[in-house]
Amino acid sequence: MGLRLRMTRASAVRGTVCAGVLLATMTLMGCPRETGTRPGGDDSRSPGTSASSSSSASSRSPARQSSAQVPVPAGVPRAIPAVRSAEAAPGPGWRPADGARVVASGPLADEGRRLAGELRLGYAAGTARPGDVELVLRPGTGQGPLAAEAYELTARDGKVLVASAGEAGVFYGTRTLLQAVRSGGGLPEGVVRDAPDRAQRGLHLDIARKHFTAEWIEARLRELSALKLNQLALHFSDDQGFRIESDSHPEIVSPQRLTKAEVRRIVALAESLHITVIPEIDSPGHLGAVIAAHPTLQLRDAAGKPVRGAVDIANPDAARIVDDLLREYAPLFPGRYFHLGADEYRALMAKNPEASYPRLAARAKEKYGPHARVQDLATGWLNDRAALVRTLGKKAKAWNDGFFRGGVVTASKDIEAEYWTGKEIGARPPQEYLGEGRTLVNLNDEYLYYVLGEPNQFRYPTGQRIYEQWSPPVLRGTAPVPGQAGPDRVLGGRLAVWCDRPEAQNAQQVADGIRLPLAAVAQRLWDARKPTMTWQDFATLDARVR
């Protein structure tokens, strides 16, 4: 999924600009529609048959003029996600040409070299001249908590200026410029002012049930970066496997796994693309790989029957091993977050947990008082793990079904809830979390769960359905949460790949299947308003610019 353009260079001579002055300010809810007849991608077919991921370089590159360059058509540059605001101006715009350079220095030198390679231009540090693209850090370019991701992209006087208060914003500006060249041959004259609506935007990947190579994961990072997505979460421990090399507990690691050297390489690439990698060790459920090596940790019910994937949280050895792993992996992932899971602990999926698991019930009363229940013991487990990762410099995340109402123990307020389902026993509606003052991240399983083999009535999500029906406030089912789902409360979302039936698709089929859903998620998280471009035109544009 390389970004290099296949094009010959042309003269930098500009065509004559027609007389007259046109100035229009357009604040957009999406790109303007394409008028071409090239068919768009249809991702409602069976995953693995998508043709959009194999678009040729020639289909993404505009035809170059053999004579003097012609002006870039006026209007809004077309990109995915769509730019949110653009101010058109009279003038020829900018096209890549012989002798043009990308000019950047200091902390932006790497961004400059990257863009120069992608546009097949020269690179320089110093003063920009006509025909060049200049990258600059400029405080005050954007406002608010996401200012570091906001950018301005200006085509004026034969030059392009990409400016932001942060390196991530400059990078996103270069992505829009690159896609404008691919979709329209260059950047129209004027100014783009753009910023994301939601802070957290990305992909959640289950590498525990299915092994994915480092190279495959790196390809997904490049795909995420092209869409201005900024998170990759790795769920690497589950019943079926533990997929990252361990020094503290090598006995739990699966034969097919990532080495720590490979993880460092993945993290380094992610950082260069302004993507945070979020590790997830799910507990106290989904620990079958740990239990296989440590059977004394197995949770058993009142009849002595083992409970799949669940450790006995009344056994202090269970906490000791999980904490060993949290301490080991925190330095490997330098990002802000550590995901603690906390979902689907089977003791709490029983109709009467206290009767079914008397050992847990007794330990809860012993630890938290006579009115404590099993849910309080589980909440205490989550709080203890969150306290540990806090000392390791991380902010804890957990799935929404790890938060319970009515207990004597309450989940710590600084644990970020990731809302995925309202279908589990005891699952609470999103409004309860928001009413408690919590922030949420949206992984709505109705739209955003790509579950291999489609078990339990899951269906592969389509980009079209996400694009047309989902938005960040749609946290549960198909209806938006009323009133309190703005960017400060619902922080963003991720598409989630779960490998429940790992053999149902190979790695390439997964990549093909999530291509358009990822593009749709990127659009709706960058701009939560309803898009103005039709789905067919959006899919056609995606095939051209990526």
Side-chain angles (χ1 to χ4, degrees), residues 435-446:
E436 294 170 358
R438 296 188 184 276
T439 56
L440 299 179
V441 177
N442 190 329
L443 287 94
N444 184 341
D445 65 349
E446 176 70 26

Side-chain angles (χ1 to χ4, degrees), residues 88-436:
W94 178 89
R95 294 180 186 270
D98 285 332
R101 307 168 303 164
V102 176
V103 177
S105 59
L108 297 180
D110 287 344
E111 303 290 5
R113 293 186 183 96
R114 186 200 331 265
L115 182 64
E118 292 165 338
L119 291 174
R120 304 190 70 175
L121 301 177
Y123 166 79
T127 303
R129 62 196 186 197
D132 287 349
V133 176
E134 184 178 13
L135 312 184
V136 299
L137 289 172
R138 190 172 66 194
T141 300
Q143 297 180 352
L146 301 183
E149 293 187 297
Y151 68 91
E152 288 186 7
L153 178 60
T154 305
R156 181 182 296 138
D157 300 328
K159 296 188 292 187
V160 171
L161 178 67
V162 185
S164 174
E167 294 177 41
V170 171
F171 176 70
Y172 295 149
T174 68
R175 299 308 88 191
T176 298
L177 174 60
L178 184 63
Q179 290 196 18
V181 171
R182 288 178 172 170
S183 63
L187 186 66
E189 196 86 4
V191 182
V192 169
R193 295 181 178 89
D194 203 11
D197 184 65
R198 307 288 160 146
Q200 299 189 41
R201 313 177 302 278
L203 173 66
H204 201 98
L205 181 62
D206 173 10
I207 64 171
R209 295 178 177 95
K210 184 180 182 68
H211 173 64
F212 293 95
T213 66
E215 291 76 14
W216 190 91
I217 295 171
E218 288 168 336
R220 303 289 72 72
L221 286 170
R222 295 185 182 95
E223 183 175 9
L224 297 181
S225 72
L227 295 167
K228 303 184 180 77
L229 297 171
N230 64 3
Q231 288 183 344
L232 173 66
L234 295 178
H235 173 93
F236 63 90
S237 172
D238 212 301
D239 298 342
Q240 295 84 349
F242 192 99
R243 301 290 182 180
I244 296 180
E245 176 185 9
S246 173
D247 299 317
S248 66
H249 290 283
E251 72 280 359
I252 70 175
V253 180
S254 303
Q256 284 189 310
R257 85 283 188 225
L258 297 173
T259 67
K260 287 189 175 180
E262 288 175 320
V263 173
R264 291 187 187 99
R265 195 179 81 201
I266 288 167
V267 169
L269 175 61
E271 287 183 329
S272 76
L273 298 172
H274 307 281
I275 295 170
T276 299
V277 181
I278 303 171
E280 183 192 356
I281 297 178
D282 202 346
S283 77
H286 295 281
L287 283 173
V290 173
I291 294 168
H294 297 274
T296 59
L297 303 183
Q298 177 77 68
L299 177 66
R300 296 178 181 274
D301 65 14
K305 182 180 178 181
V307 181
R308 182 186 178 193
V311 296
D312 180 356
I313 57 176
N315 183 345
D317 288 339
R320 190 173 301 117
I321 287 181
V322 171
D323 289 352
D324 286 346
L325 296 169
L326 293 174
R327 290 189 186 95
E328 177 178 2
Y329 290 107
L332 191 61
F333 295 92
R336 180 185 181 193
Y337 300 102
F338 209 119
H339 203 305
L340 301 175
D343 63 313
E344 296 183 316
Y345 187 51
R346 292 184 179 274
L348 292 169
M349 298 169 73
K351 290 184 178 179
N352 187 336
E354 285 67 42
S356 298
Y357 300 93
R359 172 178 162 82
L360 298 183
R363 178 58 179 150
K365 292 180 184 298
E366 177 186 342
K367 190 170 183 179
Y368 297 112
H371 301 294
R373 294 175 288 166
V374 174
Q375 73 172 53
D376 297 302
L377 193 64
T379 301
W381 170 282
L382 174 61
N383 284 344
D384 289 346
R385 310 291 78 75
L388 174 59
V389 301
R390 201 178 298 122
T391 68
L392 299 171
K394 308 294 185 186
K395 182 177 179 62
K397 289 176 173 282
W399 298 112
N400 68 284
D401 51 331
F403 297 77
F404 305 97
R405 67 163 73 93
V408 300
V409 182
T410 302
S412 297
K413 290 293 186 181
D414 65 341
I415 302 173
E416 200 164 87
E418 304 223 316
Y419 201 97
W420 73 280
T421 187
K423 300 172 185 174
E424 297 293 323
I425 293 175
R428 299 189 290 153
Q431 292 92 326
E432 287 195 24
Y433 301 84
L434 295 167
E436 294 170 358

Side-chain angles (χ1 to χ4, degrees), residues 23-103:
L23 186 62
T25 301
M26 293 159 285
T27 302
L28 307 173
M29 294 170 63
C31 307
R33 296 183 180 180
E34 287 223 21
T35 57
T37 58
R38 184 169 176 266
D42 175 11
D43 67 336
S44 63
R45 64 175 71 86
S46 297
T49 62
S50 171
S52 63
S53 62
S54 61
S55 61
S56 66
S58 61
S59 70
R60 293 185 285 111
S61 301
R64 301 300 297 267
Q65 302 295 318
S66 58
S67 58
Q69 286 190 4
V70 297
V72 178
V76 180
R78 291 175 294 183
I80 294 176
V83 301
R84 298 178 68 187
S85 177
E87 183 180 287
W94 178 89
R95 294 180 186 270
D98 285 332
R101 307 168 303 164
V102 176
V103 177

